[in-house]
Amino acid sequence: QLSHSFAIGGFGQEFKPDREKESNEKIRKLLISLKERVMTYVDPQDQKAMKKAEHYIVAIEKQLISCDKTDEMIDALCQPLPVRRL
């Protein structure tokens, strides 16, 4: 499973959303490329191979959804905190 993880900050580390989104985009592009290549190596007449390839495609699509969620999380972290009134 490919994934991108990031740290929000800590001891001397600064959260750099642009860099994190760029890294996430690299993972996304790698997954899309992998998804396209999987089917080029499968004989469409071989049902067992097609079933296995479909399994890989579904797994890749789930990871692409994770990339989208990661982008949403990074965007949310860049928003100002809501003001609370007591």
Side-chain angles (χ1 to χ4, degrees):
Q1 177 174 340
L2 299 174
S3 66
H4 167 234
S5 62
F6 59 92
I8 295 171
F11 271 0
Q13 294 204 356
E14 180 183 343
F15 176 61
K16 297 178 182 170
D18 292 337
R19 191 172 77 188
E20 300 303 339
K21 287 186 95 170
E22 182 180 315
S23 181
N24 194 41
E25 186 61 22
K26 287 178 185 178
I27 294 292
R28 183 182 283 109
K29 287 179 179 179
L30 178 64
L31 289 166
I32 290 168
S33 173
L34 187 59
K35 182 178 169 182
E36 292 168 353
R37 290 191 340 217
V38 163
M39 294 311 290
T40 63
Y41 295 106
V42 178
D43 176 5
Q45 305 303 319
D46 184 342
Q47 291 298 317
K48 186 176 179 182
M50 285 298 292
K51 186 172 182 172
K52 189 162 204 146
E54 288 170 8
H55 169 77
Y56 288 129
I57 295 297
V58 167
I60 291 169
E61 287 173 351
K62 286 179 182 177
Q63 290 185 324
L64 286 167
I65 290 169
S66 291
C67 286
D68 295 340
K69 288 181 181 179
T70 298
D71 277 343
E72 290 171 8
M73 176 67 74
I74 292 169
D75 290 340
L77 290 169
C78 292
Q79 299 300 315
L81 295 173
V83 177
R84 280 186 146 177
R85 296 191 178 169
L86 299 174

